[in-house]
Structure formats: structure tokens, C-alpha cells
Amino acid sequence: MRIRPLVTVLVLPIAAILAVPAMGFTVANETRTQVHTVLIEGMRFQPQDLTVAAGDTVVWVNRDLVPHTATSPSGRFDSNEIAPGTTWTHTVRNTGEFGYICTYHPLMKAILRVK
Amino acid sequence: MKCSLILAAGLFLLPVGGAAQGISDAQIAAIVVTANQVDIDAGRLAVERSSNDKVKAFAQLMVSDHSGVNKAATELVTRLKVTPQASPTSQALQAGGDKNLAHLKTLKGAAFDKAYVDHEYAYHQQVIDALDQTLIPAAADAELKALLVKVRPAFVAHRDHAKSLQSSRSDER
């Protein structure tokens, strides 16, 4: 009979404390973001049409011998110059469909869809 | 027309198809470096002389991109210990480039822009043909061949960019 209060006082609070990070981990799993890669190679964005979720990160990797940009004409994002052999990382926040180009090579076009 | 003939005099010296084996990697290296340098020189002149923003931006791009390609080509041949070797083709390319510059320097305004852009379109097409028919098939070293394959899309993009400038010029008339 004397043990029960001890359980109430010591064990339950400890269990509650342990449960907090466990619950937090579950939430984190549900909202886990992804990293996507767009290769810039052969004077093209690959893939040219990419769908991601809001909060995801997109990495543009320039494998060409010349500089490029990934620029949304609407002003939603702009990498500025991505030198050959370098990358630009951008985390997307807003949903929508964003066409983008390389400002140096305006015939290079692609679209980023954020859901 | 005059520019196209000058251009053809250089690149048509390249053997095609089965005769491609006659070019060494050292000669290919010199042709690539010269082909890029010729376009860099024309681009610098156009940046200085053109008053059209689109043409000027294109010319600046030619300077930047072809400098980048030449940097990569030079690094590769240095690593491969290949010394670029002049050939009738590289010499004719250089002579054609010099003549093109001399011709462009006689022009001003819209006439300059038209001559420059028209030449750029024809020049890039000729280089693409040379890459496809001669340089890529003839390259013996795998890394040199891979570099030629890698630079080809840039020449295509530049040709198409020049074409779009020609089209926009037609639309403005």
C-alpha cells in the first residue's frame, strides 16, 4: 500500500518526461522534409519538371563547364551565378508553380511545382 | 555572306567521316582552343561596339562561356601532357577570325549587330558540324573525347540563342 504513492510520485512523472521526446520524434517524422537535386548538365535543367512539398530543399548542381543561374522571373527565387562545379541550395516555403530560367542562357527553362 | 565564306574557309578544311583519323589529339586541342578564342575576340568587340542590350548581353556571354570552355580544355591537355599543335585548320580558323573582326570593325549600329549575330549563328553551326563529323570521332584520348562531347551542348545553346536574336530582330522590323 505504501508503494502506490511512490509509483504515482516517481514513476509516472518519469514516464511522462520520457514520452515527450517520443511524441516529438513522431511529429518530426510526419513533417520530415526532403532534399531534391536538379542537375544542370548539357545546358539543361534535369529534371525539367520537379514537384516538391513546401519545406523541401532543392539543390541545383552545375555540372556544365559554364556558369548558370536558376532564376524565377517572378522574383520568387534567384540563385545568382552558380559557377561550374558548384551548387545552390534553396528551401521552398510557398506553394505554387514556378517557372524558372537561366538568365545567362534564357532558352534553358524548367518548372518547380510546390505542393 | 562574306563572313560565312571566311568561316567556311576555316572549318571546311576539316576532314569528315572516315578521313577524321588524320587529326591528332594535339591538333584537336589547338583547333578547340582557337575556335573558342576566335569567338571570345568577336564577343569582346561586340561588347564594346554594340548598342543593343540583347546583343551586348549575348556577346558578354560568348566571352564568359568560351573562356570557361577554354579553361577546361587547357587544364585537360595540360594534365594529359598534350601540347596543342597548330594545323592548317587551326591556322585557317585564326585567319578567318581575324578577317571577321576586320569586317565587323567597318560596321556600326544595326549593321554591326546583324553581321555579328549572323556570323555567330553560322559559326556555331559550323563548329557543331566539325565536332560531330570530325573532332569527336577523331579524338583518341577518352577524356579529350568526353570533353568535346561535354562542350557540344554549349555550342548548340549559343547557336539557338543567336537564332532567337535573329528572330527578335525580324520581329522588330
Side-chain angles (χ1 to χ4, degrees), chain B residues 37-109:
Chain B
Q37 191 58 51
V38 160
D39 210 43
I40 292 167
D41 295 341
R44 284 185 176 139
L45 179 67
V47 168
E48 181 188 313
R49 295 234 174 165
S50 178
S51 53
N52 181 301
D53 288 345
K54 287 182 180 175
V55 172
K56 198 176 279 236
F58 174 79
Q60 184 58 56
L61 181 68
M62 294 305 101
V63 173
S64 171
D65 280 4
H66 288 288
S67 295
V69 171
N70 257 359
K71 179 172 179 283
T74 302
E75 286 172 356
L76 176 62
V77 297
T78 301
R79 187 159 53 79
L80 296 176
K81 296 184 169 44
V82 171
T83 302
Q85 180 185 7
S87 64
T89 301
S90 65
Q91 290 165 342
L93 272 175
Q94 186 61 60
D98 292 344
K99 286 180 183 174
N100 178 47
L101 283 183
H103 175 60
L104 288 174
K105 284 176 181 175
T106 66
L107 303 173
K108 287 193 263 184

Side-chain angles (χ1 to χ4, degrees), chain A:
Chain A
M1 290 299 287
R2 287 182 180 175
I3 293 174
R4 188 177 300 269
L6 283 175
V7 167
T8 306
V9 171
L10 297 176
V11 177
L12 290 182
I14 290 171
I17 290 168
L18 290 174
V20 170
M23 288 169 64
F25 181 73
T26 302
V27 171
N29 263 346
E30 288 172 355
T31 60
R32 183 176 292 172
T33 59
Q34 292 188 346
V35 177
H36 307 265
T37 300
V38 176
L39 292 181
I40 310 175
E41 189 167 32
M43 307 299 280
R44 290 191 303 141
F45 295 106
Q46 303 174 62
Q48 286 186 307
D49 190 329
L50 176 66
T51 300
V52 305
D56 283 359
T57 295
V58 183
V59 182
W60 280 265
V61 181
N62 184 2
R63 287 190 179 169
D64 271 339
L65 297 172
V66 299
H68 291 294
T69 78
T71 306
S72 158
S74 64
R76 301 308 286 264
F77 58 87
D78 185 1
S79 66
N80 294 308
E81 182 170 304
I82 308 172
T86 67
T87 64
W88 180 63
T89 300
H90 176 61
T91 300
V92 292
R93 302 291 180 197
N94 300 313
T95 59
E97 295 184 357
F98 309 110
Y100 66 93
I101 61 170
C102 167
T103 55
Y104 299 147
H105 310 97
L107 300 182
M108 288 175 61
K109 297 176 182 177
I111 187 165
L112 179 64
R113 302 176 199 272
V114 186
K115 304 221 168 166

Side-chain angles (χ1 to χ4, degrees), chain B:
Chain B
M1 179 61 77
K2 185 179 176 184
C3 288
S4 297
L5 290 174
I6 292 167
L7 173 67
L11 289 172
F12 282 179
L13 286 174
L14 290 168
V16 296
Q21 300 87 335
I23 298 181
S24 69
D25 282 359
Q27 290 173 322
I28 290 172
I31 291 167
V32 169
V33 170
T34 304
N36 281 298
Q37 191 58 51
V38 160
D39 210 43
I40 292 167
D41 295 341
R44 284 185 176 139
L45 179 67
V47 168
E48 181 188 313
R49 295 234 174 165
S50 178
S51 53
N52 181 301
D53 288 345
K54 287 182 180 175
V55 172
K56 198 176 279 236
F58 174 79
Q60 184 58 56
L61 181 68
M62 294 305 101
V63 173
S64 171
D65 280 4
H66 288 288
S67 295
V69 171
N70 257 359
K71 179 172 179 283
T74 302
E75 286 172 356
L76 176 62
V77 297
T78 301
R79 187 159 53 79
L80 296 176
K81 296 184 169 44
V82 171
T83 302
Q85 180 185 7
S87 64
T89 301
S90 65
Q91 290 165 342
L93 272 175
Q94 186 61 60
D98 292 344
K99 286 180 183 174
N100 178 47
L101 283 183
H103 175 60
L104 288 174
K105 284 176 181 175
T106 66
L107 303 173
K108 287 193 263 184
F112 175 91
D113 292 340
K114 180 180 187 309
Y116 171 66
V117 171
D118 287 350
H119 182 270
E120 285 299 293
Y121 175 80
Y123 184 76
H124 283 89
Q125 183 58 58
Q126 295 282 0
V127 174
I128 293 163
D129 291 343
L131 283 167
D132 290 344
Q133 297 169 19
T134 305
L135 301 177
I136 292 172
D141 182 89
E143 285 189 82
L144 179 60
K145 191 187 286 280
L147 179 74
L148 296 174
V149 170
K150 194 175 179 69
V151 303
R152 186 185 183 281
F155 281 91
V156 173
H158 293 167
R159 177 202 62 191
D160 294 348
H161 195 158
K163 183 71 176 174
S164 74
L165 289 176
Q166 288 177 318
S167 300
S168 65
R169 196 180 59 225
S170 300
D171 293 343
E172 288 167 4
R173 285 176 194 153

